[in-house]
Amino acid sequence: MTTLVLLPGMDGTGIAFRPFLAALDPALKVVVVSYPPDLALGYDALLAVARQALPVDDDVVVLGESFSGPIAIALAAEGLPRLRGLVLCATFARNPRPRAAVLGRIMAHVPLPLAALPGLSRVLLGRFDSPALRRLLAESLAAVSPAVMRFRARAVMAVDMSDRLRAVTVPTLYLRGREDRVVPAAAAQWVQAQAPHARMAPFDGPHGLLQSLPFETAGVIEAFVAAC
């Protein structure tokens, strides 16, 4: 039995995975990891949370979305005997925006006033923005402390898992949105430069790939898990 372990975006709740979970084959076993919503924990501490959530008796494929990409990379680099594959979705091994321009604009709206939500949703979802996905985003942000979100944003600015990425030997899949306004194409190029075995899967979609294209991404990821 192989379990797909999902590590969430910056809110850390896993709420935003709902459209993707609904698109997955029900036969696929899935674990959604959540991070403490009120504790300002850095990447090392969140790595421990993720490691503790891994199934003991199953083979595992880890998916790191956005903020959690560095955590997924670190797990894969540990050489855990039952970890069979790594999926990186709209993410990075090191700070994807050294000048932090986009990230700074996003975090300026935390805590998020209702009037700012449509703008943030458009940044994350682009032309796929919808009332339903906007409600999902609002629910995700409401569940986590604004101070924790700001702390995680600062953690992104300092992170660099390039050395650990070079140590990853398991099959690796990188999902990239061609319309991503948060994580640039250069971040995917850096991942492939450090891990030449990584397979790139581009989509005509935004940063929120799993939310905007749940069935398309689910099909690619299910095939990858089966191959692993």
Side-chain angles (χ1 to χ4, degrees), residues 7-221:
L7 306 182
M10 188 176 287
D11 63 279
T13 64
I15 290 171
F17 285 130
R18 285 179 191 161
F20 176 68
L21 291 170
L24 285 172
D25 184 340
L28 178 61
K29 188 174 178 181
V30 180
V31 169
V32 177
V33 177
S34 297
Y35 305 139
D38 54 356
L39 295 178
L41 303 178
Y43 271 114
D44 287 341
L46 294 176
L47 172 61
V49 172
R51 189 188 299 113
Q52 184 68 28
L54 296 180
V56 175
D57 299 323
D58 295 346
D59 290 341
V60 171
V61 172
V62 172
L63 183 152
E65 180 188 38
S66 190
F67 171 83
S68 284
I71 298 171
I73 289 169
L75 280 175
E78 292 181 357
L80 302 173
R82 303 204 73 137
L83 198 147
R84 303 300 187 196
L86 169 65
V87 180
L88 300 172
C89 181
T91 188
F92 45 87
R94 62 180 186 177
N95 182 359
R97 299 266 185 189
R99 296 182 182 179
V102 172
L103 190 59
R105 286 199 296 272
I106 291 174
M107 296 315 296
H109 296 305
V110 176
L112 188 70
L114 184 62
L117 184 61
L120 178 58
S121 185
R122 284 193 295 272
V123 169
L124 297 175
L125 298 166
R127 60 189 172 91
F128 295 87
D129 185 20
S130 69
L133 290 179
R134 200 174 297 168
R135 286 192 296 271
L136 195 66
L137 174 61
E139 183 181 352
S140 300
L141 292 175
V144 61
S145 160
V148 168
M149 289 287 285
R150 289 191 290 268
F151 185 89
R152 289 174 184 166
R154 292 194 294 271
V156 169
M157 296 176 196
V159 74
D160 191 342
M161 293 289 182
S162 300
D163 287 346
R164 296 198 220 188
L165 180 57
R166 287 190 285 270
V168 172
T169 58
V170 295
T172 301
L173 174 68
Y174 186 104
L175 279 64
R176 182 179 75 82
R178 293 189 180 98
E179 303 166 30
D180 193 329
R181 297 171 61 187
V182 178
V183 176
Q189 293 162 2
W190 180 256
V191 166
Q192 191 156 48
Q194 311 312 305
H197 68 283
R199 179 167 69 87
M200 294 290 147
F203 293 85
D204 291 325
H207 183 67
L209 273 179
L210 303 184
Q211 294 73 39
S212 58
L213 298 172
F215 289 95
E216 294 88 340
T217 53
V220 170
I221 291 168

